């Protein structure tokens, strides 16, 4: 997939793992674009681990971005599939019903793109997160099988890879980027979260240098824990 074939109205935000701070970075991205005069929106195909608040199940990630960035979209507009249990979407869907359909994802993303001039799509977990895995009574595959890459291809946006610069981050970042490229996905660049948390800036700075050197990608922003601004202009 070449850059020229991509939908130019947004980015798909994925990460090197589940607990890297992808939602926090996505919120900063949406807010920065909006503060810069760009009508940016948010969309997520599937969310597991919903929170029960005031008698309703709330999609926590989407709710956080909505409140942080000042979005008016409803939860139904922000997330297509909301599951209660905090497990991989494929397992949550199997246990709770209502498995992800790519046709619904495409339709809901299209509506988001019609409401906003730019859309940030947040992934679920890491880049190889299983989204749907139909099985029979014996646990054997018997139907549709989707991974996060199928969602990425459905919305057809350039990827932003969220990582940290902590010990081990070179490996996880490079593997994520190389997997994306091997699946024909275009990666726009890398965003580093929790910069400085290790207390060893020499290591983190060198880790970022190596990430850029090995992947050939730009580190577009580096964010410290608790930052209220992305720290760079929209890219």
């Amino acid at each position: 997939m070449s850059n020229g074939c991509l939908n130019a109205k947004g980015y798909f935000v994925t990460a090197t793992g589940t607990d890297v701070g992808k939602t926090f970075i996505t919120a900063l991205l949406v807010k920065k674009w909006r503060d810069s005069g760009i009508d940016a929106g948010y969309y997520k195909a599937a969310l597991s681990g919903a929170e029960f608040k005031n008698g309703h199940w709330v999609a926590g990630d989407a709710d956080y971005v909505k409140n942080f960035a000042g979005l008016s979209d409803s939860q139904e507009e922000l997330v297509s599939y909301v599951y209660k249990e905090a497990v991989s979407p494929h397992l949550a869907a199997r246990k709770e019903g209502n498995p992800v359909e790519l046709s619904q994802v495409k339709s809901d993303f299209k509506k988001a793109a019609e409401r906003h001039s730019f859309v940030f799509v947040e992934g679920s977990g890491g880049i190889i997160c299983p989204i749907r895995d139909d099985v029979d009574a014996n646990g054997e595959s018997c139907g549709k099988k989707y991974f996060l890459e199928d969602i990425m291809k459905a919305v057809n946006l350039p990827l932003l890879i969220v990582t940290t610069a902590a010990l081990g981050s070179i490996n996880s970042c490079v593997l994520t980027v190389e997997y994306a490229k091997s699946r024909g996905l275009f990666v726009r660049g890398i965003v580093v979260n929790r910069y400085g948390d290790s207390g060893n800036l020499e290591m983190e700075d060198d880790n970022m240098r190596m990430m850029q050197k090995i992947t050939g990608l730009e580190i577009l922003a580096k964010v410290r824990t608790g930052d209220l601004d992305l720290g760079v202009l929209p890219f």
Side-chain angles (χ1 to χ4, degrees), residues 49-71:
E51 305 164 22
F52 195 70
K53 294 181 179 179
N54 302 318
H56 300 281
W57 286 99
V58 176
D61 291 357
D63 193 56
Y64 176 81
V65 176
K66 174 179 178 174
N67 292 327
F68 187 89
L71 297 174

Side-chain angles (χ1 to χ4, degrees), residues 28-40 69 117-118 120 229-235:
L28 288 178
L29 288 162
V30 177
K31 186 175 186 299
K32 170 56 73 174
W33 262 242
R34 294 179 67 82
D35 288 348
S36 301
I38 302 167
D39 178 22
S117 60
F118 202 93
F120 288 94
D229 186 86
L230 190 67
V232 296
L233 295 174
F235 41 78

Side-chain angles (χ1 to χ4, degrees), residues 3 5 12 42 45-46 55 64 74 88 90 103 128 131 138 140 147 153 156 160 168 171 191 201 207 221 226 230:
N3 191 13
C5 298
F12 193 108
Y42 171 92
Y64 176 81
S74 68
S88 180
H90 80 286
S103 58
I128 314 178
I131 301 297
N138 297 316
E140 299 295 330
F147 290 87
K153 291 175 180 177
N156 198 32
L160 298 179
N171 183 70
V191 177
L201 289 182
N207 283 352
L230 190 67

Side-chain angles (χ1 to χ4, degrees), residues 81-96:
Y81 296 88
V82 178
Y83 305 114
K84 300 173 185 176
E85 192 164 349
V87 294
S88 180
H90 80 286
L91 179 57
R94 188 185 304 159
K95 297 176 71 173
E96 300 175 27

Side-chain angles (χ1 to χ4, degrees), residues 128-188:
I128 314 178
C129 180
I131 301 297
R132 177 171 178 170
D133 184 33
D134 296 351
V135 297
D136 59 23
N138 297 316
E140 299 295 330
S141 294
C142 65
K144 296 179 180 178
K145 180 180 294 185
Y146 301 141
F147 290 87
L148 191 61
E149 68 180 81
D150 296 301
I151 305 295
M152 293 171 171
K153 291 175 180 177
V155 301
N156 198 32
L157 295 173
L159 306 187
L160 298 179
I161 308 293
V162 180
T163 183
T164 71
L167 189 65
S169 60
I170 297 172
N171 183 70
S172 57
C173 180
V174 173
L175 288 176
T176 298
V177 170
E178 289 305 312
Y179 180 84
K181 291 179 177 179
S182 76
R183 312 309 279 186
L185 299 162
F186 175 76
V187 184
R188 170 65 177 84

